[in-house]
Amino acid sequence: MFEIKAKDNRGRVGVLKTKHGNVKTPALMPVIHPRKQAIDVKKYGADIVITNAYLIYKDEDLKQEAIDKGLHELINFDGPIMTDSGSFQLSVYGDVDITNKEVIEFQELIKTDIGTSLDIPTAPFVTREKAEEDLEITLQRAREAIEYRNSQNMEMKLNSVVQGSTFPDLRRYCADELTKLDADLYPIGAVVPLMESYHYKDLVDVVMNSVAHLPDNKPRHLMGAGHPMIFALAAAMGCDLFDSAAYILYAEDDRLLSTRGTYKLENLQEMPCSCEVCTKYTPDDLRAMDKKERRDLIAIHNLHVSFAELRLVRQAIYEGSLMELVEERCRVHPQLLNAYRQLANYMDDMEKYNPRSKKSAFFFTGPESLYRSEVKRHMNKLREMPKKRDLVILPPSRKPYSKFISGKLGEFYIYGSERELDLEDTDFMVLDIPFGLVPLDIDEVYPLSQNESPKIKDVDSIEFIEDFISEFVEYYDQTLIHSRVIKDLEIGLYNKHSQSDEIRFKKDDLRKIKAIADYQFGVGAGEALFKGNIKIEKSKKTGKIRHIYDKGVIVANMRASDSFLVLSKEGAKRLHNSMPYPENRVVVNEDSVPFARDGKSVFAKFVVDCDENIRSNDEVLIVSEDDELLAYGKALLCAHEMGDFNTGQAVKTRKGMKK
Ligand code: GUN
Ligand code: ZN
């Protein structure tokens, strides 16, 4: 029912499949009022809508019409329709006259595509006792709904809503319990009060604790989120669906939505965008209109900006610039910036979903960028890499650094025990923002060259880097720090100053490809892959390494765009022989062994295990349960997703090992 097409951090572009058509996610579902609807939302970009089954149920005429003609005809929409259950009315009025079972039955009767059980939206910041009490009812109703749907062979898909107020552990518990059910979608509920009161930081805690415990193969819906200002952030946290009554509620109130916030018509001198409404009318024109005409035009503007933002979010996921978009959006309000800073606490989780290579470069847009998962990943990797005796720290040059650093390197300060440098036993690294230290042998690998930051450093970045280095140099006997590094960053970490202008970084292609292999596949991969009589072939045009052979047999290719290695059959064998199970492996069940060996791509449902370090787009080995190498290829899902998905491809096989 749900497939992932592209990913960036926890954000995903997906396809939600329904009987009434497919929907590209992240998607916005405009809220349709079953009686008062004045705007044809399809015309402005809606592929899916949401309406309220309880409101229909409570109105005798609507109820009869919905039963007779079906929901789609009732609201005149031929695409997929989701219905809500009356829970929101429950949270506002304290009571509804419908039972959980009745609302499930009714939603099936009127032929909704996706129905919802009668969850209890527990408000934020209530007592723990209240949150726990409500949660048990929500869970019990979710179980009842699924059991009832299954026992009656109902056709509709079902939402199971995550509740738990603002208690992170209750959100996790709820998500865990709901994951055990056979629900089709997982909304995250009771977040409207958080958004209305600008508690975006708490929203981050609620969403991250929920999604981290929900299955990856089901769409998640951030219930009641309809302001385009938060779409990018919510999508980056793994939300796939949004619903908006905001477009019409704000319009009723003469307020115009924008990714920069909300504009009151009374304050507008200029129209805020280039949609059909903003280009045709001035604020004075709108103010002069009668209420209904004005409301509809503002609602149309609101829909335009909302759908435009979702297109931008999806494009950002495709190109790998979602976090840059989030960083931009979160600067429109200090509480959003606070939320983004809170997200830094979840970057270990984000890292697990984030592909290692992207089409677009990493842009540093401020000190918050230092906490992004790419930076964290590199710093963790750096701590695992094999170390030489001494370290030379160089100032940044143009990128790739290894190409532009040359000649005499100048004056150095020494930290640690002073001794002659043995160039064979020395690591060379460039100090730069945001990646801290970048070893010159791997500096072409994404994103270590594919990033940009301002030359003028901010104090947070300097402190961040200083803290990292002072910890990192402890691994080395002696560290020589270039005088310009000291000057630029005011690093206080040295004993004395010496003339060391004989130091030179000597490029060595074999050492470089081994270092890249270690960085990519794990320590030891370089020695295993590139042993023997290695010959390196470079591009005549760019001078970059392209093919790596051992006695005429190709072992690996180096991808020009990101400098990652792509294995050949021989390379796959070498990696398999040298790295212990389950490293770099996707393990398939017995049934799919012949298919994999034959070079067929691996479907997610056949995957029984895999290396937890696999990320989408990684080069991986495909093995049987007794670790026979069957094939090799490119992962399309990360390790967590491989465990959760039962449909779609998991690995795009490059080649089977069949002779
Ligand atoms: N609409 C907005 N919030 C909620 C919620 O928590 N539950 C349901 N069912 N609908 C909502
Ligand atoms: Zn507009």
Side-chain angles (χ1 to χ4, degrees):
M1 192 198 171
F2 184 61
E3 259 179 50
I4 292 179
K5 297 290 179 198
K7 307 196 328 175
D8 188 355
N9 282 275
R10 256 189 179 279
R12 53 239 197 124
V13 169
V15 180
L16 171 64
K17 296 176 183 170
T18 77
K19 273 194 312 193
H20 285 90
N22 293 352
V23 179
K24 213 186 240 186
T25 64
L28 174 65
M29 304 181 283
V31 174
I32 300 297
H33 196 286
R35 196 174 273 292
K36 291 194 274 186
Q37 190 64 25
I39 291 164
D40 176 9
V41 294
K42 189 160 194 161
K43 196 168 143 196
Y44 302 104
D47 297 325
I48 177 171
V49 298
I50 181 167
T51 189
N52 196 306
Y54 179 64
L55 294 183
I56 299 171
Y57 180 85
K58 286 287 285 175
D59 181 315
E60 276 309 321
D61 297 341
L62 287 178
K63 181 179 180 177
Q64 203 49 53
E65 198 182 334
I67 293 170
D68 294 343
K69 298 185 185 162
L71 181 61
H72 290 79
E73 213 175 305
L74 177 77
I75 65 166
N76 190 26
F77 186 80
D78 60 8
I81 305 177
M82 181 185 285
T83 43
D84 203 350
S85 55
S87 293
F88 194 67
Q89 286 67 26
L90 178 69
S91 73
V92 176
Y93 306 113
D95 200 11
V96 283
D97 341 315
I98 197 165
T99 66
N100 186 44
K101 235 173 159 164
E102 282 164 353
V103 82
I104 295 299
E105 199 158 16
F106 181 64
Q107 290 173 96
E108 174 72 7
L109 188 63
I110 63 176
K111 301 195 171 61
T112 189
D113 291 284
I114 303 161
T116 309
S117 48
L118 195 64
D119 58 299
I120 301 188
T122 313
F125 314 117
V126 298
T127 63
R128 188 169 177 98
E129 205 183 349
K130 163 82 176 143
E132 283 178 351
E133 216 178 275
D134 284 358
L135 183 52
E136 282 315 314
I137 301 171
T138 291
L139 286 172
Q140 182 264 320
R141 289 182 183 171
R143 291 179 193 120
E144 180 184 58
I146 301 273
E147 277 163 23
Y148 189 47
R149 191 258 319 248
N150 293 353
S151 73
Q152 302 295 307
N153 290 317
M154 294 181 181
E155 282 197 39
M156 69 174 166
K157 304 291 178 189
L158 268 181
N159 278 321
S160 288
V161 187
V162 181
Q163 297 290 353
S165 186
T166 28
F167 296 97
D169 64 315
L170 293 187
R171 291 280 177 174
R172 294 195 295 268
Y173 164 71
C174 182
D176 283 338
E177 288 301 307
L178 295 179
T179 300
K180 295 176 193 163
L181 302 177
D182 183 24
D184 305 289
L185 300 94
Y186 289 98
I188 298 168
V191 292
V192 171
L194 291 175
M195 295 185 287
E196 282 175 348
S197 58
Y198 289 77
H199 282 87
Y200 300 122
K201 168 184 168 285
D202 302 284
L203 180 71
V204 165
D205 290 331
V206 164
V207 173
M208 289 307 290
N209 281 283
S210 303
V211 296
H213 288 250
L214 288 173
D216 294 319
N217 61 337
K218 306 282 170 79
R220 299 127 185 181
H221 165 194
L222 193 62
M223 277 192 146
H227 200 303
M229 195 165 69
I230 61 143
F231 290 166
L233 175 65
M237 295 192 290
C239 297
D240 308 292
L241 293 168
F242 305 100
D243 68 274
S244 175
Y247 78 97
I248 189 73
L249 295 178
Y250 280 60
E252 294 272 6
D253 226 12
D254 285 336
R255 288 188 296 167
L256 285 77
L257 298 175
S258 133
T259 51
R260 299 199 60 211
T262 309
Y263 297 105
K264 284 193 178 134
L265 180 60
E266 64 187 70
N267 298 332
L268 275 187
Q269 307 293 321
E270 304 286 347
M271 294 304 285
C273 87
S274 52
C275 79
E276 60 188 89
V277 177
C278 291
T279 48
K280 188 159 174 206
Y281 302 98
T282 66
D284 282 337
D285 294 341
L286 288 179
R287 284 189 281 258
M289 281 174 194
D290 77 57
K291 169 80 187 165
K292 194 183 162 305
E293 189 182 6
R294 182 168 73 230
R295 181 201 67 190
D296 289 353
L297 288 171
I298 297 176
I300 289 166
H301 157 87
N302 288 345
L303 286 171
H304 273 296
V305 294
S306 302
F307 288 118
E309 179 66 357
L310 281 168
R311 291 195 298 273
L312 217 55
V313 165
R314 292 194 299 264
Q315 173 62 24
I317 295 172
Y318 280 122
E319 70 190 20
S321 65
L322 181 60
M323 288 317 252
E324 281 80 1
L325 182 62
V326 173
E327 293 185 341
E328 196 179 323
R329 293 296 182 245
C330 285
R331 279 180 173 78
V332 307
H333 194 286
Q335 292 312 325
L336 275 174
L337 188 56
N338 202 41
Y340 184 57
R341 289 180 179 178
Q342 181 68 0
L343 193 60
N345 296 315
Y346 297 94
M347 284 301 166
D348 284 334
D349 171 85
M350 289 288 226
E351 192 281 322
K352 296 191 177 98
Y353 290 84
N354 201 11
R356 279 185 235 268
S357 178
K358 297 178 184 178
K359 292 193 188 83
S360 63
F362 179 112
F363 281 2
F364 173 102
T365 72
E368 291 80 17
S369 305
L370 296 166
Y371 299 95
R372 282 178 51 182
S373 56
E374 286 85 353
V375 176
K376 196 147 201 174
R377 172 186 284 160
H378 174 67
M379 290 192 164
N380 289 342
K381 208 66 182 172
L382 214 50
R383 292 187 182 100
E384 290 167 15
M385 294 285 278
K387 311 273 178 319
K388 302 277 173 63
R389 190 185 66 187
D390 298 328
L391 169 67
V392 170
I393 298 179
L394 300 165
S397 63
R398 253 182 85 185
K399 294 186 210 58
Y401 311 116
S402 57
K403 188 165 172 186
F404 294 98
I405 279 175
S406 58
K408 288 184 193 175
L409 294 174
E411 252 186 355
F412 287 85
Y413 291 78
I414 293 175
Y415 176 80
S417 60
E418 195 179 341
R419 60 150 75 87
E420 280 286 297
L421 271 193
D422 169 2
L423 290 185
E424 292 301 307
D425 207 7
T426 302
D427 280 328
F428 283 80
M429 301 191 193
V430 169
L431 183 81
D432 205 353
I433 288 170
F435 291 101
L437 290 168
V438 178
L440 284 180
D441 283 332
I442 59 165
D443 75 321
E444 287 177 20
V445 174
Y446 187 93
L448 304 175
S449 277
Q450 299 81 348
N451 70 85
E452 295 229 26
S453 60
K455 287 285 155 293
I456 302 169
K457 307 299 179 216
D458 58 282
V459 288
D460 290 322
S461 294
I462 292 173
E463 197 177 313
F464 181 87
I465 297 286
E466 278 185 2
D467 288 351
F468 175 69
I469 312 190
S470 53
E471 177 215 338
F472 191 75
V473 297
E474 299 293 334
Y475 289 114
Y476 289 88
D477 283 3
Q478 165 183 261
T479 302
L480 278 79
I481 309 174
H482 193 277
S483 59
R484 224 188 80 205
V485 168
I486 305 265
K487 211 167 86 228
D488 289 354
L489 294 180
E490 294 171 39
I491 286 172
L493 234 191
Y494 52 89
N495 299 346
K496 62 163 86 146
H497 145 222
S498 70
Q499 282 307 121
S500 309
D501 57 359
E502 77 280 8
I503 297 177
R504 271 165 202 267
F505 171 65
K506 280 225 293 288
K507 286 184 206 175
D508 178 334
D509 288 333
L510 186 59
R511 196 185 63 213
K512 171 173 165 165
I513 58 176
K514 285 180 179 175
I516 290 175
D518 282 358
Y519 191 76
Q520 181 176 350
F521 298 113
V523 174
E527 281 302 325
L529 282 173
F530 305 124
K531 59 175 190 266
N533 183 9
I534 295 297
K535 193 177 135 253
I536 295 172
E537 198 177 293
K538 295 187 181 180
S539 157
K540 287 206 178 70
K541 218 159 104 197
T542 63
K544 284 189 167 185
I545 295 173
R546 296 300 304 277
H547 310 293
I548 304 154
Y549 301 89
D550 178 15
K551 298 182 217 71
V553 179
I554 190 141
V555 179
N557 300 301
M558 188 176 283
R559 199 156 50 204
S561 57
D562 59 14
S563 290
F564 279 110
L565 296 163
V566 178
L567 298 173
S568 69
K569 201 165 177 174
E570 176 62 22
K573 279 188 207 160
R574 291 180 181 202
L575 190 69
H576 181 253
N577 283 334
S578 64
M579 306 303 276
Y581 180 94
E583 281 179 42
N584 299 294
R585 289 157 170 83
V586 172
V587 186
V588 297
N589 73 11
E590 219 177 288
D591 294 344
S592 69
V593 164
F595 297 95
R597 208 186 270 133
D598 216 29
K600 302 277 193 306
S601 283
V602 174
F603 285 90
K605 64 170 174 252
F606 301 123
V607 174
V608 291
D609 194 10
C610 72
D611 179 351
E612 62 175 13
N613 288 312
I614 290 171
R615 304 289 176 264
S616 341
N617 302 341
D618 279 1
E619 295 297 313
V620 296
L621 305 172
I622 301 160
V623 302
S624 67
E625 287 177 83
D626 46 17
D627 199 24
E628 179 199 345
L629 179 62
L630 305 169
Y632 58 97
K634 184 168 114 164
L636 298 177
L637 299 172
C638 71
H640 274 252
E641 292 161 342
M642 291 210 194
D644 283 348
F645 271 86
N646 287 317
T647 54
Q649 289 186 2
V651 186
K652 193 169 164 49
T653 302
R654 289 191 190 279
K655 232 183 206 128
M657 302 309 282
K658 201 181 78 169
K659 309 273 164 349

Coordinates of all heavy atoms in Angstrom, one line a residue, residues 97-151:
D97 N -22.0 11.2 20.4 CA -22.9 10.0 20.5 C -22.7 9.0 19.5 O -23.5 8.9 18.5 CB -24.4 10.4 20.3 CG -24.7 11.8 20.5 OD1 -24.2 12.2 21.5 OD2 -25.4 12.4 19.7
I98 N -21.6 8.4 19.6 CA -21.3 7.3 18.7 C -20.3 6.4 19.4 O -19.4 6.9 20.1 CB -20.8 7.8 17.3 CG1 -20.9 6.7 16.2 CG2 -19.3 8.3 17.4 CD1 -20.7 7.2 14.8
T99 N -20.4 5.1 19.2 CA -19.4 4.2 19.8 C -18.3 4.0 18.7 O -18.5 4.2 17.5 CB -20.0 2.9 20.2 OG1 -20.4 2.2 19.0 CG2 -21.1 3.0 21.1
N100 N -17.2 3.4 19.2 CA -16.1 3.1 18.3 C -16.5 2.1 17.2 O -16.3 2.4 16.0 CB -15.0 2.4 19.2 CG -13.7 2.1 18.4 OD1 -13.2 3.0 17.6 ND2 -13.1 1.0 18.6
K101 N -17.2 1.1 17.6 CA -17.7 0.1 16.6 C -18.7 0.7 15.6 O -18.6 0.4 14.4 CB -18.4 -1.0 17.4 CG -17.8 -2.4 17.1 CD -18.4 -3.5 17.9 CE -18.2 -4.8 17.3 NZ -18.4 -5.9 18.2
E102 N -19.5 1.6 16.1 CA -20.5 2.2 15.2 C -19.8 3.1 14.2 O -20.2 3.1 13.0 CB -21.5 3.1 16.0 CG -22.6 2.3 16.7 CD -23.3 3.1 17.8 OE1 -22.9 4.2 18.1 OE2 -24.3 2.6 18.3
V103 N -18.8 3.8 14.6 CA -18.1 4.7 13.6 C -17.3 3.9 12.6 O -17.2 4.3 11.5 CB -17.3 5.8 14.4 CG1 -15.9 5.4 14.8 CG2 -17.2 7.1 13.5
I104 N -16.8 2.8 13.0 CA -16.0 1.9 12.1 C -17.0 1.4 11.0 O -16.8 1.5 9.8 CB -15.3 0.8 12.8 CG1 -14.3 1.3 13.8 CG2 -14.8 -0.3 11.9 CD1 -13.1 2.0 13.1
E105 N -18.1 0.9 11.6 CA -19.2 0.3 10.7 C -19.7 1.3 9.7 O -19.8 1.1 8.5 CB -20.3 -0.2 11.5 CG -21.2 -1.2 10.9 CD -22.0 -2.0 11.9 OE1 -22.0 -1.6 13.1 OE2 -22.5 -3.1 11.6
F106 N -19.9 2.5 10.2 CA -20.5 3.6 9.4 C -19.5 4.0 8.3 O -19.8 4.2 7.1 CB -20.8 4.8 10.2 CG -21.4 5.9 9.4 CD1 -22.6 5.8 8.7 CD2 -20.8 7.2 9.3 CE1 -23.2 6.8 8.0 CE2 -21.3 8.2 8.6 CZ -22.5 8.0 7.9
Q107 N -18.2 4.1 8.6 CA -17.2 4.5 7.6 C -17.1 3.5 6.5 O -17.0 3.8 5.3 CB -15.8 4.7 8.3 CG -15.8 6.0 9.2 CD -14.5 6.1 10.0 OE1 -13.6 6.8 9.6 NE2 -14.5 5.4 11.1
E108 N -17.2 2.2 6.8 CA -17.2 1.2 5.8 C -18.5 1.3 4.9 O -18.4 1.2 3.7 CB -17.1 -0.2 6.5 CG -17.2 -1.4 5.5 CD -16.0 -1.6 4.6 OE1 -15.0 -0.9 4.8 OE2 -16.1 -2.5 3.7
L109 N -19.6 1.5 5.6 CA -20.9 1.6 4.9 C -20.9 2.7 3.9 O -21.4 2.6 2.8 CB -22.0 1.9 6.0 CG -23.4 1.8 5.5 CD1 -23.8 0.4 5.0 CD2 -24.3 2.2 6.7
I110 N -20.3 3.9 4.2 CA -20.3 5.0 3.2 C -19.1 4.9 2.2 O -18.8 5.8 1.5 CB -20.3 6.3 3.9 CG1 -19.1 6.6 4.8 CG2 -21.6 6.5 4.7 CD1 -19.1 8.0 5.4
K111 N -18.3 3.8 2.4 CA -17.2 3.5 1.4 C -16.0 4.5 1.5 O -15.6 5.0 0.4 CB -17.7 3.4 0.0 CG -18.8 2.2 -0.1 CD -19.0 1.9 -1.6 CE -19.8 0.7 -1.8 NZ -21.2 0.8 -1.2
T112 N -15.6 4.8 2.6 CA -14.4 5.6 2.8 C -13.2 4.8 2.3 O -13.3 3.6 2.3 CB -14.2 6.1 4.2 OG1 -13.1 7.0 4.3 CG2 -13.8 4.9 5.1
D113 N -12.1 5.4 1.9 CA -10.9 4.7 1.6 C -10.1 4.4 2.8 O -9.6 3.3 2.9 CB -10.0 5.5 0.6 CG -10.7 5.6 -0.8 OD1 -10.6 4.6 -1.5 OD2 -11.2 6.7 -1.1
I114 N -10.1 5.3 3.7 CA -9.3 5.2 4.9 C -10.1 5.7 6.1 O -10.5 6.9 6.2 CB -8.0 6.0 4.9 CG1 -7.1 5.5 3.7 CG2 -7.2 5.8 6.2 CD1 -6.1 6.5 3.2
G115 N -10.4 4.8 7.0 CA -11.2 5.2 8.2 C -10.4 5.3 9.4 O -9.2 4.9 9.4
T116 N -11.0 5.8 10.5 CA -10.3 6.1 11.7 C -11.1 5.6 12.9 O -12.3 5.8 12.9 CB -10.0 7.6 11.9 OG1 -9.4 8.1 10.7 CG2 -9.1 7.9 13.1
S117 N -10.4 5.0 13.9 CA -11.1 4.6 15.1 C -11.3 5.8 16.0 O -10.7 6.9 15.8 CB -10.4 3.4 15.8 OG -9.0 3.7 16.0
L118 N -12.1 5.6 17.1 CA -12.4 6.7 18.0 C -11.4 6.9 19.1 O -11.6 6.5 20.2 CB -13.8 6.5 18.6 CG -14.5 7.6 19.2 CD1 -14.8 8.7 18.2 CD2 -15.8 7.2 19.9
D119 N -10.2 7.4 18.6 CA -9.1 7.6 19.6 C -9.4 8.8 20.5 O -10.3 9.6 20.2 CB -7.8 7.9 18.9 CG -7.9 9.1 18.0 OD1 -8.8 9.1 17.1 OD2 -7.2 10.1 18.2
I120 N -8.7 8.9 21.6 CA -8.9 10.0 22.5 C -7.7 11.0 22.4 O -6.6 10.6 22.8 CB -9.1 9.5 24.0 CG1 -10.2 8.6 24.1 CG2 -9.2 10.7 24.9 CD1 -10.6 8.2 25.5
P121 N -8.0 12.1 21.8 CA -6.9 13.1 21.7 C -6.6 13.7 23.1 O -7.2 14.7 23.4 CB -7.4 14.1 20.7 CG -8.7 13.5 20.1 CD -9.2 12.6 21.2
T122 N -5.6 13.2 23.7 CA -5.3 13.7 25.1 C -4.4 15.0 24.9 O -3.4 15.0 24.2 CB -4.4 12.7 25.9 OG1 -5.1 11.4 25.7 CG2 -4.3 13.1 27.3
A123 N -4.9 16.1 25.5 CA -4.2 17.4 25.4 C -2.7 17.3 25.9 O -2.4 16.4 26.7 CB -5.0 18.4 26.2
P124 N -1.9 18.2 25.4 CA -0.5 18.3 25.9 C -0.5 18.7 27.4 O -1.5 19.3 27.9 CB 0.1 19.4 25.1 CG -0.8 19.7 24.0 CD -2.2 19.2 24.4
F125 N 0.5 18.3 28.1 CA 0.8 18.7 29.5 C -0.2 18.4 30.5 O -0.4 19.1 31.5 CB 1.1 20.3 29.5 CG 2.0 20.7 28.4 CD1 1.6 21.6 27.4 CD2 3.3 20.3 28.3 CE1 2.4 22.1 26.4 CE2 4.2 20.7 27.3 CZ 3.7 21.6 26.3
V126 N -1.0 17.3 30.2 CA -1.9 16.9 31.3 C -1.2 16.0 32.3 O 0.0 15.8 32.1 CB -3.1 16.0 30.7 CG1 -3.9 16.8 29.7 CG2 -2.5 14.8 30.0
T127 N -1.8 15.6 33.3 CA -1.1 14.7 34.3 C -0.8 13.4 33.7 O -1.5 12.9 32.7 CB -2.0 14.4 35.6 OG1 -3.1 13.7 35.2 CG2 -2.3 15.7 36.3
R128 N 0.1 12.7 34.2 CA 0.5 11.4 33.7 C -0.6 10.4 33.8 O -0.9 9.6 32.9 CB 1.7 10.9 34.4 CG 2.3 9.7 33.8 CD 3.6 9.2 34.2 NE 3.9 8.0 33.5 CZ 4.6 7.9 32.4 NH1 5.2 8.9 31.9 NH2 4.8 6.7 31.8
E129 N -1.3 10.5 34.9 CA -2.4 9.6 35.2 C -3.5 9.7 34.1 O -4.0 8.7 33.6 CB -3.0 10.0 36.6 CG -3.7 8.9 37.3 CD -4.3 9.4 38.6 OE1 -4.0 10.5 39.0 OE2 -5.1 8.6 39.1
K130 N -3.8 11.0 33.8 CA -4.8 11.2 32.7 C -4.4 10.7 31.4 O -5.1 10.0 30.7 CB -5.1 12.8 32.7 CG -5.7 13.3 31.4 CD -7.2 13.1 31.5 CE -7.9 13.7 30.3 NZ -9.1 12.9 29.9
A131 N -3.1 10.9 31.1 CA -2.5 10.5 29.8 C -2.6 9.0 29.7 O -2.9 8.4 28.6 CB -1.1 11.0 29.6
E132 N -2.2 8.3 30.8 CA -2.2 6.8 30.8 C -3.6 6.3 30.6 O -3.8 5.3 29.9 CB -1.5 6.3 32.1 CG 0.0 6.4 32.0 CD 0.6 6.0 33.3 OE1 -0.1 5.7 34.3 OE2 1.9 5.9 33.3
E133 N -4.5 6.9 31.4 CA -5.9 6.4 31.4 C -6.5 6.5 30.0 O -7.1 5.6 29.4 CB -6.7 7.3 32.3 CG -7.8 6.7 33.1 CD -8.4 7.8 34.0 OE1 -7.8 8.0 35.1 OE2 -9.4 8.4 33.6
D134 N -6.3 7.7 29.3 CA -6.8 7.9 28.0 C -6.2 6.9 27.0 O -6.8 6.4 26.1 CB -6.5 9.3 27.5 CG -7.4 10.4 28.1 OD1 -8.3 10.0 28.9 OD2 -7.2 11.6 27.8
L135 N -4.9 6.8 27.2 CA -4.1 6.0 26.2 C -4.6 4.5 26.2 O -4.7 3.9 25.1 CB -2.6 6.0 26.6 CG -1.7 5.3 25.7 CD1 -1.9 5.7 24.2 CD2 -0.2 5.5 26.1
E136 N -4.9 4.0 27.4 CA -5.4 2.6 27.4 C -6.7 2.5 26.6 O -6.9 1.5 25.9 CB -5.6 2.1 28.8 CG -4.3 1.7 29.5 CD -3.4 0.8 28.6 OE1 -3.9 -0.1 28.0 OE2 -2.2 1.1 28.5
I137 N -7.6 3.5 26.7 CA -8.8 3.5 25.9 C -8.5 3.6 24.4 O -9.1 2.8 23.6 CB -9.8 4.6 26.3 CG1 -10.1 4.4 27.8 CG2 -11.1 4.6 25.5 CD1 -10.9 5.6 28.5
T138 N -7.6 4.5 24.0 CA -7.2 4.7 22.6 C -6.7 3.3 22.1 O -7.1 2.9 21.0 CB -6.1 5.8 22.5 OG1 -6.7 7.0 22.8 CG2 -5.6 5.8 21.1
L139 N -5.8 2.7 22.8 CA -5.3 1.4 22.4 C -6.3 0.3 22.2 O -6.3 -0.4 21.2 CB -4.2 0.9 23.3 CG -2.8 1.7 23.3 CD1 -1.9 1.3 24.4 CD2 -2.2 1.5 21.9
Q140 N -7.2 0.3 23.2 CA -8.2 -0.8 23.2 C -9.1 -0.5 22.0 O -9.5 -1.5 21.3 CB -9.0 -0.7 24.6 CG -10.0 -1.7 24.8 CD -11.4 -1.1 24.4 OE1 -11.7 0.0 24.7 NE2 -12.2 -1.9 23.8
R141 N -9.4 0.7 21.7 CA -10.3 1.0 20.5 C -9.6 0.7 19.2 O -10.2 0.3 18.2 CB -10.8 2.5 20.6 CG -11.8 2.7 21.7 CD -12.3 4.1 21.7 NE -13.2 4.3 22.8 CZ -13.6 5.5 23.2 NH1 -13.3 6.6 22.5 NH2 -14.5 5.7 24.2
A142 N -8.3 1.0 19.2 CA -7.5 0.7 17.9 C -7.6 -0.8 17.7 O -7.8 -1.2 16.6 CB -6.1 1.2 18.1
R143 N -7.4 -1.6 18.7 CA -7.4 -3.1 18.6 C -8.8 -3.5 18.2 O -8.9 -4.3 17.3 CB -7.0 -3.7 19.9 CG -5.6 -3.5 20.3 CD -5.3 -4.1 21.7 NE -4.0 -3.7 22.2 CZ -3.8 -3.0 23.3 NH1 -4.8 -2.8 24.2 NH2 -2.6 -2.6 23.7
E144 N -9.8 -3.0 18.8 CA -11.2 -3.4 18.5 C -11.5 -3.0 17.0 O -12.1 -3.9 16.3 CB -12.1 -2.6 19.4 CG -13.6 -2.9 19.2 CD -14.5 -2.1 20.0 OE1 -14.5 -0.8 19.9 OE2 -15.3 -2.7 20.8
A145 N -11.0 -1.9 16.6 CA -11.3 -1.4 15.2 C -10.7 -2.4 14.2 O -11.3 -2.8 13.2 CB -10.8 0.0 15.0
I146 N -9.4 -2.8 14.4 CA -8.7 -3.6 13.5 C -9.4 -5.0 13.5 O -9.6 -5.6 12.4 CB -7.2 -3.7 13.8 CG1 -6.6 -2.3 13.8 CG2 -6.5 -4.7 12.9 CD1 -6.1 -1.9 12.4
E147 N -9.6 -5.5 14.7 CA -10.2 -6.9 14.8 C -11.6 -6.9 14.1 O -11.9 -7.8 13.4 CB -10.4 -7.3 16.3 CG -9.1 -7.8 16.8 CD -9.1 -7.9 18.4 OE1 -10.3 -7.8 19.0 OE2 -8.0 -7.9 19.0
Y148 N -12.4 -5.8 14.3 CA -13.7 -5.8 13.8 C -13.6 -5.7 12.2 O -14.3 -6.4 11.5 CB -14.5 -4.6 14.3 CG -15.9 -4.5 14.0 CD1 -16.7 -5.6 14.1 CD2 -16.5 -3.3 13.5 CE1 -18.1 -5.6 13.8 CE2 -17.8 -3.2 13.2 CZ -18.6 -4.4 13.3 OH -20.0 -4.3 13.0
R149 N -12.8 -4.8 11.8 CA -12.6 -4.7 10.3 C -12.2 -6.0 9.7 O -12.7 -6.4 8.7 CB -11.5 -3.6 10.0 CG -11.3 -3.2 8.6 CD -10.2 -3.8 7.8 NE -8.9 -3.9 8.4 CZ -7.8 -3.2 8.1 NH1 -7.9 -2.3 7.2 NH2 -6.7 -3.5 8.7
N150 N -11.2 -6.7 10.3 CA -10.7 -8.0 9.8 C -11.8 -9.0 9.8 O -12.0 -9.8 8.9 CB -9.5 -8.4 10.5 CG -8.3 -7.5 10.2 OD1 -8.4 -6.5 9.4 ND2 -7.2 -7.7 10.9
S151 N -12.5 -9.1 11.0 CA -13.5 -10.2 11.1 C -14.7 -10.0 10.1 O -15.3 -10.9 9.7 CB -14.0 -10.2 12.5 OG -14.9 -9.1 12.8

